[in-house]
Amino acid sequence: MLKTFKRNIKSEYQERLKKSFPKKLHSYLNEVLKILPFEKSKVKLCDGQTQKVENLIHESELNIELDYESLIIPYRLYFNEPNPELEKSLTDKQKDILNCIYLRHHNGYLREKRLNLISDNSEKWTVPFIIQLIGEYVYELLPIIDKKINENTLDYYAEFIDKNPKYWQQTESRMISYWNEYYRYKFPKLKEYLGFEIVNRIKKRTHNNGYT
């Protein structure tokens, strides 16, 4: 009976992650899901210690639209990284999927590591995972995001915020709130804050592309 319960929990985690990606990616995603360590409830913390976590995927979710498809992305994940040897066996696209999944991890250092691993010319489906980080508190992510949102990818972000205005408004508001709370002493003027520069770059492209 216990084995059945564990299997169902693993299946639930897998189904939730499938809702985070477009259906066209599910054949790639299925291979990624096979190597995720859902069976380990003792997770590594930022200080290297471990702690048992009952739910490896937080119940809070982000609801967004991408290419006329509704996606539901978990707000936070807690499971450990996969076995490095298993990860090496993935294709480049599968590795990008894996890295996007870990951009929702509770450990900010791990989010930074995984963000660095995503190509600077990434595909459109990576946008919801990367853009979410603009509205989070870890400043060290912003210089990396700055490189990801470039001339080759900027149109993806402009289209995304046009299709998700409420989500974008919340993201922009969080960015300003974190600047005010944690970084205003270093950047007295909001326009000097990198998060604000990135937000304005996306908004300018949205306007130039004629989105409403």
Side-chain angles (χ1 to χ4, degrees):
M1 191 72 173
L2 183 58
K3 289 183 179 179
T4 302
F5 176 73
K6 287 184 177 179
R7 192 160 56 242
N8 287 340
I9 290 296
K10 181 177 180 179
S11 177
E12 179 184 323
Y13 291 153
Q14 291 175 333
E15 288 304 311
R16 288 192 65 189
L17 290 177
K18 283 182 180 180
K19 293 178 181 178
S20 304
F21 292 89
K23 290 182 175 61
K24 66 181 181 180
L25 292 178
H26 283 192
S27 60
Y28 302 98
L29 175 61
N30 287 336
E31 297 305 308
V32 175
L33 294 176
K34 290 177 182 178
I35 72 169
L36 297 180
F38 295 129
E39 70 283 355
K40 296 180 180 179
S41 59
K42 288 187 177 181
V43 302
K44 293 180 181 178
L45 303 178
C46 299
D47 59 6
Q49 298 184 10
T50 60
Q51 179 177 322
K52 187 174 183 180
V53 176
E54 293 298 329
N55 293 316
L56 295 177
I57 299 182
H58 197 276
E59 60 183 15
S60 298
E61 297 173 327
L62 307 168
N63 294 274
I64 57 95
E65 181 183 318
L66 185 72
D67 283 342
Y68 303 100
E69 190 172 350
S70 295
L71 303 180
I72 304 174
I73 302 174
Y75 185 73
R76 279 287 177 260
L77 310 173
Y78 298 93
F79 45 82
N80 295 322
E81 292 184 278
N83 182 306
E85 291 304 313
L86 294 177
E87 186 171 341
K88 287 179 182 178
S89 69
L90 299 177
T91 66
D92 288 344
K93 187 184 289 288
Q94 289 166 349
K95 287 177 182 177
D96 266 351
I97 291 173
L98 179 71
N99 291 326
C100 280
I101 289 173
Y102 280 97
L103 292 187
R104 302 313 319 134
H105 202 269
H106 75 97
N107 187 326
Y109 294 107
L110 202 157
R111 296 201 299 278
E112 181 179 357
K113 167 188 170 182
R114 292 292 174 170
L115 181 61
N116 267 314
L117 292 175
I118 294 175
S119 168
D120 288 347
N121 297 314
S122 52
E123 297 182 59
K124 186 191 290 189
W125 51 265
T126 65
V127 169
F129 296 90
I130 295 174
I131 205 169
Q132 171 65 19
L133 300 174
I134 297 174
E136 297 188 358
Y137 64 90
V138 183
Y139 180 85
E140 288 74 15
L141 299 176
L142 292 177
I144 310 171
I145 295 169
D146 189 42
K147 294 179 181 179
K148 307 298 180 188
I149 304 179
N150 53 56
E151 279 303 312
N152 293 321
T153 64
L154 191 52
D155 284 342
Y156 295 155
Y157 290 87
E159 180 183 348
F160 179 82
I161 71 169
D162 179 66
K163 298 298 183 184
N164 298 274
K166 183 178 179 181
Y167 168 85
W168 176 244
Q169 184 180 35
Q170 292 171 342
T171 301
E172 187 175 356
S173 294
R174 282 196 297 268
M175 177 274 294
I176 295 173
S177 294
Y178 283 125
W179 161 77
N180 185 56
E181 183 72 21
Y182 298 110
Y183 302 110
R184 193 166 189 163
Y185 75 96
K186 189 173 182 179
F187 308 99
K189 296 181 179 180
L190 179 58
K191 65 181 182 180
E192 299 172 345
Y193 183 61
L194 183 55
F196 184 76
E197 293 179 25
I198 295 170
V199 163
N200 272 1
R201 183 188 314 158
I202 298 171
K203 290 167 68 174
K204 183 178 180 181
R205 180 57 64 92
T206 303
H207 176 74
N208 289 346
N209 286 357
Y211 293 117
T212 55

